[in-house]
Amino acid sequence: MRKSAKADVVTRIDRDSTVQSLTRAMQLLELLAEDDEGFRLVDIAAHSGLSSSTAHRLLTTMEQRQFVQFDRETNLWHVGVRCFSVGAAFARRRRITPVALPIMRRLRDHTGESINLGIADLGDIVFVSQVESREQMRAIGKQGFRAPLHSTAMGLAILAAMPEDDVLQYLRTYGLPKLTNNTIARASRLHETLVEIRRAGYAVDDEQNAVGLCCVAAPIYDEQGLPFGAISLVGPTLRMKCADFSELGATVRAAADDITEAFGGRRR
């Protein structure tokens, strides 16, 4: 009993320490965002109320993830490129939904299945909107739900459209966690699957993320010709098994291309 109580105390302390570190890290990011000229470590410590050692530890950790950048010639700390990519993802999310919804509704009416919209963020696909099927048995998505790119049709469609170096970076950073028996869990299989997706022009998720659901997806591109999001058609596996995936794939890809064009993006 004593051991269990002690373990609970240690766990609570660890959790509180993690939350405190996260809060302090966000405080430093907010500080760095106040001045484009950058800050010296001593100034960061003074403004944040942290010791120089604590501030330096947090900054170097965030530097490893590119959330902050250190200029070794001037000894100044700046906001990093990762902050821009995260902020850009939020901006795309705000802009893409009203553009995509009319096209998603047309796709739902044409196919009868639910249509999802997602954007890529830090190795995940984030579900930002859904147009639900009118069928009694239908897939219902939750806004804000996240899943690894390799485990969903939308994520696979985005990976297939990425430069090969970015795919390798994804593997090194996030690995291939297995969510169901059908999830891709080997790098060799992922590369083979991406080749097939590029050839077909669409991706299929056959119960790789959730048992009982099947999806067909295609990527959405930004103005630089890079994939940042995707749409997917999703339905119960029992009904989708009777579907013509090549026809559905072509239909979903055409809708994704329409969203890309309406968004001001372009395919490379």
Side-chain angles (χ1 to χ4, degrees):
M1 181 65 69
R2 290 180 180 175
K3 184 177 181 180
S4 176
K6 183 177 180 180
D8 288 343
V9 171
V10 171
T11 300
R12 186 169 62 252
I13 292 173
D14 289 344
R15 182 170 60 247
D16 291 344
S17 177
T18 299
V19 171
Q20 184 183 56
S21 294
L22 180 58
T23 300
R24 288 174 170 175
M26 289 189 291
Q27 179 186 0
L28 295 185
L29 282 178
E30 291 171 350
L31 173 62
L32 292 177
E34 292 178 1
D35 192 339
D36 293 340
E37 297 297 323
F39 289 86
R40 294 180 301 161
L41 178 61
V42 63
D43 296 324
I44 292 173
H47 280 82
S48 65
L50 302 175
S51 67
S52 295
S53 60
T54 298
H56 187 262
R57 174 174 55 82
L58 293 170
L59 289 167
T60 52
T61 299
M62 289 190 289
E63 184 185 24
Q64 293 171 7
R65 300 286 298 174
Q66 297 182 305
F67 280 98
V68 302
Q69 181 180 6
F70 181 59
D71 187 331
R72 283 164 175 77
E73 292 185 1
T74 62
N75 288 326
L76 294 175
W77 290 90
H78 303 266
V79 169
V81 66
R82 180 64 72 177
C83 288
F84 174 80
S85 63
V86 172
F90 175 76
R92 287 194 296 263
R93 173 178 174 177
R94 293 293 299 272
R95 290 171 52 206
I96 192 64
T97 301
V99 169
L101 279 175
I103 299 169
M104 293 168 64
R105 292 190 185 102
R106 289 201 298 270
L107 184 58
R108 185 271 314 272
D109 293 343
H110 178 71
T111 63
E113 300 294 352
S114 297
I115 309 300
N116 291 328
L117 172 67
I119 59 171
D121 178 55
L122 297 178
D124 289 340
I125 189 76
V126 181
F127 290 72
V128 299
S129 187
Q130 183 185 69
V131 176
E132 288 186 21
S133 168
R134 295 189 174 95
E135 296 287 341
Q136 185 173 1
M137 182 184 296
R138 63 187 184 275
I140 300 177
K142 182 179 179 182
Q143 188 173 6
F145 174 77
R146 306 175 71 98
L149 290 177
H150 70 280
S151 72
T152 68
M154 286 194 290
L156 287 169
I158 292 171
L159 284 171
M162 283 181 175
E164 187 62 27
D165 287 347
D166 290 348
V167 175
L168 294 175
Q169 182 61 45
Y170 173 83
L171 285 170
R172 287 193 293 266
T173 304
Y174 303 105
L176 298 172
K178 198 171 179 66
L179 303 185
T180 74
N181 289 334
N182 290 353
T183 305
I184 296 173
R186 297 196 314 274
S188 58
R189 186 185 166 203
L190 177 65
H191 288 298
E192 292 169 359
T193 301
L194 297 184
V195 170
E196 294 172 2
I197 293 170
R198 294 179 189 118
R199 184 184 305 120
Y202 62 89
V204 175
D205 159 14
D206 186 7
E207 298 186 295
Q208 293 177 22
N209 185 67
V211 175
L213 294 179
C214 185
C215 305
V216 181
I220 300 168
Y221 297 84
D222 64 17
E223 60 276 6
Q224 303 299 321
L226 298 174
F228 73 91
I231 58 168
S232 68
L233 178 151
V234 54
T237 302
L238 291 176
R239 191 160 66 231
M240 293 287 284
K241 281 183 177 179
C242 302
D244 182 343
F245 282 108
S246 61
E247 181 179 346
L248 284 179
T251 302
V252 172
R253 176 173 176 175
D257 286 346
D258 287 344
I259 295 173
T260 293
E261 182 178 357
F263 183 70
R266 63 181 178 85
R267 293 176 63 94
R268 281 190 167 180

